Amino acid sequence: MDSTYNYLADRALDLLGSNSRVLILLIGIPGSGKSTLAKNVVDILNSRFEKHNELQNQKVNFQQSEHNSGSFQENKLVTGDFVSKLEDFNSNSEIPLEDEYYVPKKIKKKNEIIISGRCEDNSIKLVYPKFSSKHTSNDFAQIVPMDGFHLSRKVLKQFKDPDRAILRRGSPFTFDSKMVATLIKLLASTCTRKTLNPPIDKFQLIDGSITGIPDIYVPNFIHELKDPTPFGIPIKSTAKILIIEGLYLLLNQGPWKSIYYSLSRNHEICYEIWKIEVEFNVARERVAKRHYESGGSTTTEEGYERFDINDRPNGKLVEFNSFSADHYIQSI
Ligand SMILES: Nc1ncnc2c1ncn2[C@@H]1O[C@H](COP(=O)(O)OP(=O)(O)OP(=O)(O)O)[C@@H](O)[C@H]1O
């Protein structure tokens, strides 16, 4: 197992090369072990980062612009082109909550831009970094979960068939898929292949005032609240390896398919797609156990039932309707 995680950490570092950032999409059916694998790989990367800095006898090796006015300069953001194409949010316009194709809108504030989809709970915030004085070892590699893009129960209850929406929570139509696609396009724009001159060490962090990469805040999913919270997860401008994990990232249906197209048609983007392969009966055992241990079901039998009602159809959907990945990992 450890050798798989170490191999993947090496692979991510090789992909990064001397680019400012690499994006890795991690997919797999429910229970395939996406979160577990992503966490292990990110931990290895961050501990290597820490060790590297210890060897160099410096806390964090990082490059920052000397003259940073700290003022907001949208045109300096690498995400500027993409964001400028989004329409401004108009508080009078009605948001069709069930429209999967609803296009997110932007709201500009002093030194930040908020991108809002069908529900403000799923919003994303971009902040142009003023100063980046505090860095920790966790700034190097990071997991970006998709859970925060679950539509809130408040929204699902307003669907034409709220019972079905609540029962099938976790299915593609219960996410703000346009916001997921928007986030990936935003992140992709921060991962363009640009060999810096002079080439920099893989482990060197570079301030957003040099790269034009903003800090991006994405929604978190608090399991106790059973709903998303906006801006709960910061993706610092200095993060160099991002692992985005989610079930539907390669789905070739609805707004999800734009994720694959936005990456695969652009060879300028430094990215790779990894898929974990696992037998359904193995995933079923794991998920039923997880449901039971987390209190989501009172017996293991009920855990199996939950897998069969929701996780299995969602898993089958992605197994038969997804684009191909770049690298396949056998779950052990
Ligand atoms: N290789 C493994 N061997 C045994 N159990 C595992 C393995 N990987 C993960 N698990 C366990 O299986 C369960 C599901 O793992 P994890 O949450 O990482 O999967 P996931 O693909 O992210 O699932 P989901 O999409 O449902 O969130 C967890 O309880 C985890 O501890």
Side-chain angles (χ1 to χ4, degrees), residues 53-220:
N53 283 307
E54 266 169 29
L55 284 177
Q56 298 220 336
N57 204 17
Q58 49 197 212
K59 269 197 160 166
V60 171
N61 181 9
F62 117 93
Q63 198 180 343
Q64 182 182 25
S65 159
E66 278 177 24
H67 304 288
N68 183 2
S69 66
S71 61
F72 178 61
Q73 295 161 290
E74 190 182 340
N75 61 350
K76 272 189 75 184
L77 295 183
V78 293
T79 51
D81 271 1
F82 175 74
V83 172
S84 63
K85 285 182 191 143
L86 294 175
E87 269 179 43
D88 289 326
F89 179 79
N90 174 354
S91 56
N92 295 326
S93 51
E94 200 184 316
I95 302 169
L97 296 178
E98 279 194 66
D99 181 3
E100 284 186 82
Y101 287 90
Y102 173 80
V103 181
K105 307 269 188 283
K106 67 168 183 278
I107 304 159
K108 275 193 201 172
K109 295 203 173 161
K110 208 173 161 217
N111 70 334
E112 60 189 46
I113 296 171
I114 291 174
I115 302 175
S116 179
R118 286 141 72 189
C119 171
E120 63 185 29
D121 298 335
N122 305 116
S123 303
I124 297 170
K125 182 164 72 180
L126 283 80
V127 181
Y128 188 70
K130 288 182 185 171
F131 306 102
S132 301
S133 52
K134 285 186 190 153
H135 290 277
T136 68
S137 55
N138 297 332
D139 286 348
F140 180 67
Q142 188 179 344
I143 301 176
V144 181
M146 292 290 92
D147 284 353
F149 294 100
H150 274 284
L151 289 167
S152 65
R153 285 171 300 164
K154 183 179 74 192
V155 170
L156 298 179
K157 282 178 187 163
Q158 293 173 63
F159 273 35
K160 283 192 199 83
D161 187 348
D163 293 342
R164 175 175 171 265
I166 299 278
L167 180 72
R168 293 303 317 278
R169 200 174 197 205
S171 306
F173 74 97
T174 65
F175 281 86
D176 194 330
S177 46
K178 271 280 189 183
M179 283 297 284
V180 180
T182 297
L183 174 66
I184 291 177
K185 283 174 202 166
L186 270 175
L187 293 179
S189 67
T190 69
C191 295
T192 46
R193 290 185 193 279
K194 242 187 320 204
T195 303
L196 295 158
N197 196 9
I200 55 153
D201 183 283
K202 283 186 175 80
F203 288 109
Q204 182 167 5
L205 302 183
I206 320 163
D207 182 65
S209 61
I210 291 177
T211 57
I213 297 177
D215 290 336
I216 300 177
Y217 293 79
V218 300
N220 194 8

Side-chain angles (χ1 to χ4, degrees), residues 1 5 26-38 40 147 223 245-247 276 278 282-283 285-291 293 307 311 330-332:
M1 195 84 96
Y5 299 144
L26 179 62
I27 66 151
I29 63 169
S32 55
K34 298 180 289 299
S35 309
T36 308
L37 184 136
N40 279 289
D147 284 353
H223 283 274
E245 50 122 340
L247 184 56
I276 308 181
V278 69
V282 175
E285 289 295 331
R286 290 180 189 169
V287 173
K289 191 165 168 245
R290 188 182 59 187
H291 283 321
E293 285 173 354
F307 183 89
D311 300 311
Q330 296 301 324
S331 175
I332 303 159

Side-chain angles (χ1 to χ4, degrees), residues 223-243:
H223 283 274
E224 291 76 38
L225 297 178
K226 297 194 177 85
D227 271 326
T229 311
F231 321 136
I233 300 176
I235 307 169
K236 296 270 195 70
S237 66
T238 43
K240 295 188 83 174
I241 297 180
L242 297 179
I243 303 187

Side-chain angles (χ1 to χ4, degrees), residues 264-282:
S264 76
R265 290 184 181 172
N266 192 341
H267 298 292
E268 290 294 298
I269 303 166
C270 185
Y271 81 99
E272 192 161 61
I273 303 172
W274 297 351
K275 183 180 176 218
I276 308 181
E277 299 213 286
V278 69
E279 298 283 335
F280 267 85
N281 55 357
V282 175

